[in-house]
Structure formats: C-alpha cells, structure tokens
C-alpha cells in the first residue's frame, strides 16, 4: 500500500515525504513542479501531473495501490487571493474535488488535508481551539474552510475519514540541510528576513508597529516544518488505525512578535537586519496563537524543534547554501 502525496515537492509536502520515507512508508509524489522543486524529491515514485486534470489523477490511482492521500498542493498567497479569487476557488476546490473523486473510484477513504489558521478569520479568543468559530476573512481561507465542509459532508455520506490539519506559521528547514522554504514571490516573514541578510532583498519591511501587542508588531505562532511533518505521520497512523475524522491545529501556543523574530535572527546570524516600517498589510490580525492541546491528546504530538532559535538556525543554514 502506497501513500499519495499531492504537492510532495513543495515546502511542507517535501518535508513530510522525507518523514514518511524515514518511517518506512512507500510514497508516490504527485506534483506539477509549478512551485514544487525537483531538488526537494528525496525518494518515492514521482508522477509529474496537474491535479486539475481529473483523468491524470484517476490514472495515478489505477497505476499505484494507494491506501491514503495527503493533499498539500494549494495556492497560498492571501493578497493574491483578494486580487484573483476566481483562481483560488477554481484551483483549491478543484484539486481537492479531483483527488476525492479519484480516491472514491479506487475505494480509498483516508485523506489528510493541509488547512490553515486562516479558517478562523479574526480570532475572538486566544489561544485558538478547534471549536473556535470558522469565519475566514480572506478568499484563501474561505477555500480552506470550503474544502473542510466538503470533507465533513463526504464523511457523513461516503464514509470518508480525514484529518484536517490547521497550520499556524510553518517555518524553518530540514536539519539535514536538503530541504527549505522558498516561494516566488516570497511573502513570509522569516525567509524575507534571511533574504535581506543575504542581500537578495534590499531591506525588510515590517508591516505595522501599531498593533495592540507589547511591542506593537504582530504576534504569530511559528512551528518548525519538521514538527509539522511529524504531525502528518501521526495523523496518517491515526487514520490507518481507523480513528475518526478530526480537525486539528498545528501550532505551539508560543507567541513571538515580528520584532522578536528579527532580534532572534540577529542573534543566530550575527548580522543586523536592515528594516523599515511600513503600513499594516491588509487582513493581518494582531495575534494568532494555537492551542496545541488537541494535537497532543489526539495525535500524541509534541513540538521538538519549534523554538525560534532552532527555526532560524535551520532556515539560515539552508538559505545560505541554497538561495
Ligand atoms: N511580515 C512582515 N514583513 C514581511 C513578511 C511578514 O512584517 O516581509 C509580518 C506580517 O505582517 C505578519 C507576520 O510577519 O504579521 C507573519 O507574516 P507571514 O506572511 O510570515 O505569515 P502570516 O501570519 O501572514 O501567514 C500565515 C500563513 C498563511 C495564512 C495566514 C493566516 O503563512 O498561509 O497565516 O492564517 F493564511
């Protein structure tokens, strides 16, 4: 039995493939390499294909004996999702629908979905537990919550068993140095800090210093991508053990402000970060903090590498070598 990893050559997908291979799973990566990288394929079979091509997706299930699917492939830029929502709805819903339909045709009923803290919208309380109302603010978050709704309906109607993992701020790089984070354009804080230190961006922009937080900059819950990958393996084991469907936050319940990340980056790299203060970015909330109680209770998951120094040290090692 093989595990199909859609988007397995992307940032979080590739780290999860490495974790799955390390635990002896047989992996098939399905990726169109539009944002995924060939260098990030560390093993397993590879199907180069487009998840919007329903026939190609069905063929993958006829070619391989698939037992479960992990779906990472997604458009992820919040700002772009405001500008071009049609692209987001078509792609993020269409890819999930194609995978689910091909799964059912092949009799596969186990699915792990890359969801996001964006489904909660503007948080009403912190830390955010999974029973917090789902009320996404941006179209990207709406696509994630719509897929979650589809999963619930398919569970009830067709016996689908899923784990929807709601990521907070994924960051860091594989400690072995092969895999890392690179997006084009890069919008995320930590890679942008490192790019500014490498001279690839003239200066880091800080989006807002007037938030109701201790230092005025936004507070986030950063989780090391290797810890995130480990949670996917645990979620897969839970589904293979016939456990019920779940929505689970993946974060650490530790909040770090933008300025604190910058100071930590200066400590880790020994270099001053060049920055300038800019207005707030549309849709950024002051604080996002995950309750990790459910991930610990249901999956037996604990973060091991998610302190900000380890995140920055691993990211810096990869960026210095690879960017
Ligand atoms: N930031 C800067 N400068 C930058 C980049 C980011 O100041 O160059 C700030 C942002 O304004 C924010 C914080 O750093 O306050 C973190 O920003 P990221 O872009 O790294 O992450 P976000 O919290 O905005 O985004 C994350 C996920 C998204 C998800 C979103 C909302 O990456 O996929 O949370 O849940 F949609």
């Amino acid at each position: 039995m093989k595990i199909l990893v859609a988007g397995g050559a992307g940032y979080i997908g590739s780290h999860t493939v490495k974790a799955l291979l390390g635990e002896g799973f047989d992996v098939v990566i399905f990726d169109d390499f539009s944002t995924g990288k060939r260098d990030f394929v560390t093993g397993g079979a590879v199907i180069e294909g487009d998840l919007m091509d329903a026939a190609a997706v069905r063929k993958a299930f006829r070619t391989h004996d698939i037992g479960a699917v992990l779906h990472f492939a997604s458009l992820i830029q919040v700002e772009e999702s405001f500008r071009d929502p049609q692209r987001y709805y078509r792609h993020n819903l269409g890819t999930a629908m194609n995978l689910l339909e091909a799964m059912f045709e092949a009799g596969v009923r186990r699915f792990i979905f890359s969801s996001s803290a964006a489904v909660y919208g503007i948080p009403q309380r912190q830390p955010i537990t999974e029973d917090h109302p789902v009320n996404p603010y941006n179209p990207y978050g709406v696509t994630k919550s719509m897929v979650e709704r589809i999963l619930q309906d398919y569970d009830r109607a067709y016996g689908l068993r899923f784990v929807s993992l709601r990521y907070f701020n994924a960051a860091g790089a594989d400690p072995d140095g092969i895999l890392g984070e690179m997006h084009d354009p890069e919008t995320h804080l930590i890679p942008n800090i490192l790019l500014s230190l490498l001279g690839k961006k003239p200066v880091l922009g800080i989006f807002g210093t007037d938030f109701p937080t201790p230092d005025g900059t936004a507070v986030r819950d950063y989780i090391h991508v290797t810890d995130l990958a480990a949670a996917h393996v645990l979620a897969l084991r839970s589904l293979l053990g016939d456990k019920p469907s779940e929505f689970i936050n993946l974060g650490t319940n530790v909040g770090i402000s933008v300025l604190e990340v910058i100071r930590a980056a200066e400590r880790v790299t020994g270099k001053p970060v060049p920055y300038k203060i800019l207005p707030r970015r549309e849709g950024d909330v002051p604080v996002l903090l995950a309750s990790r109680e459910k991930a610990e209770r249901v999956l037996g998951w604990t973060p091991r590498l998610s302190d900000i120094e380890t995140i920055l040290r691993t990211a810096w090692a990869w960026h210095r070598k690879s960017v």
Side-chain angles (χ1 to χ4, degrees):
M1 185 204 71
K2 299 178 186 176
I3 309 300
L4 186 78
V5 184
Y11 172 46
I12 302 171
S14 64
H15 283 81
T16 303
V17 166
K18 184 167 181 271
L20 288 167
L21 294 169
E23 298 220 13
F25 286 99
D26 208 346
V27 171
V28 180
I29 294 169
F30 193 111
D31 206 299
D32 65 0
F33 295 96
S34 59
T35 56
K37 314 233 175 320
R38 287 175 208 282
D39 294 350
F40 286 1
V41 175
T42 55
V46 176
I47 300 171
E48 183 165 354
D50 180 358
L51 288 170
M52 293 301 286
D53 178 353
V57 179
R58 281 203 301 274
K59 187 169 168 219
F61 285 84
R62 284 199 297 270
T63 312
H64 296 276
D65 176 22
I66 306 292
V69 173
L70 283 75
H71 180 29
F72 294 92
S74 162
L75 300 177
I76 60 160
Q77 287 173 39
V78 170
E79 192 269 331
E80 186 191 36
S81 81
F82 279 114
R83 258 190 295 118
D84 193 2
Q86 179 171 270
R87 181 161 182 252
Y88 275 69
Y89 288 113
R90 184 190 293 123
H91 185 275
N92 288 0
L93 298 179
T95 54
M97 301 284 286
N98 282 346
L99 276 169
L100 289 161
E101 278 167 26
M103 281 172 57
F104 291 158
E105 192 179 282
V108 180
R109 294 262 180 306
R110 296 181 176 104
F111 190 75
I112 295 177
F113 180 56
S114 296
S115 188
S116 167
V119 301
Y120 297 116
I122 298 165
Q124 296 171 8
R125 52 178 187 268
Q126 308 279 357
I128 301 171
T129 48
E130 289 80 354
D131 59 1
H132 182 286
V134 165
N135 187 19
Y137 170 80
N138 53 63
Y140 160 75
V142 177
T143 68
K144 294 292 177 185
S145 73
M146 286 170 104
V147 173
E148 288 194 339
R149 175 59 203 250
I150 291 169
L151 297 178
Q152 280 177 292
D153 288 344
Y154 286 12
D155 177 317
R156 214 171 292 122
Y158 312 126
L160 175 72
R161 293 296 174 267
F162 67 87
V163 180
S164 183
L165 296 171
R166 293 171 174 166
Y167 310 156
F168 281 64
N169 286 71
D174 177 53
D176 293 348
I178 315 162
L179 308 171
E181 178 173 19
M182 200 193 323
H183 302 101
D184 186 19
E186 188 54 79
T187 61
H188 296 91
L189 176 64
I190 290 177
N192 275 346
I193 291 174
L194 302 181
L195 291 173
S196 76
L197 289 175
L198 289 167
K200 309 268 170 173
K201 282 211 172 172
V203 63
L204 174 80
I206 297 181
F207 299 131
T209 51
D210 58 350
F211 287 100
T213 58
D215 65 21
T217 62
V219 169
R220 292 289 180 273
D221 184 335
Y222 295 90
I223 169 171
H224 195 288
V225 63
T226 301
D227 285 336
L228 212 48
H232 288 76
V233 178
L234 293 169
L236 177 62
R237 291 201 188 283
S238 163
L239 289 181
L240 295 176
D242 289 328
K243 296 286 192 325
S245 299
E246 300 283 2
F247 299 97
I248 299 180
N249 287 343
L250 291 177
T252 64
N253 196 4
V254 176
I256 317 233
S257 74
V258 172
L259 274 174
E260 285 172 327
V261 176
I262 291 172
R263 298 296 169 233
E266 291 177 335
R267 281 197 303 278
V268 165
T269 64
K271 293 165 180 282
V273 175
Y275 68 78
K276 65 177 174 201
I277 292 166
L278 296 175
R280 289 188 191 190
R281 200 167 58 175
E282 186 185 4
D284 277 350
V285 297
V287 180
L288 268 180
L289 268 187
S291 164
R292 68 182 213 227
E293 185 275 327
K294 187 170 180 186
E296 288 179 338
R297 177 168 44 83
V298 173
L299 299 180
W301 175 80
T302 31
R304 296 181 196 289
L305 301 173
S306 293
D307 60 282
I308 196 66
E309 266 82 15
T310 304
I311 286 174
L312 287 163
R313 193 164 27 75
T314 54
W316 179 233
W318 185 81
H319 260 78
R320 252 200 316 190
K321 186 165 60 76
S322 314
V323 176

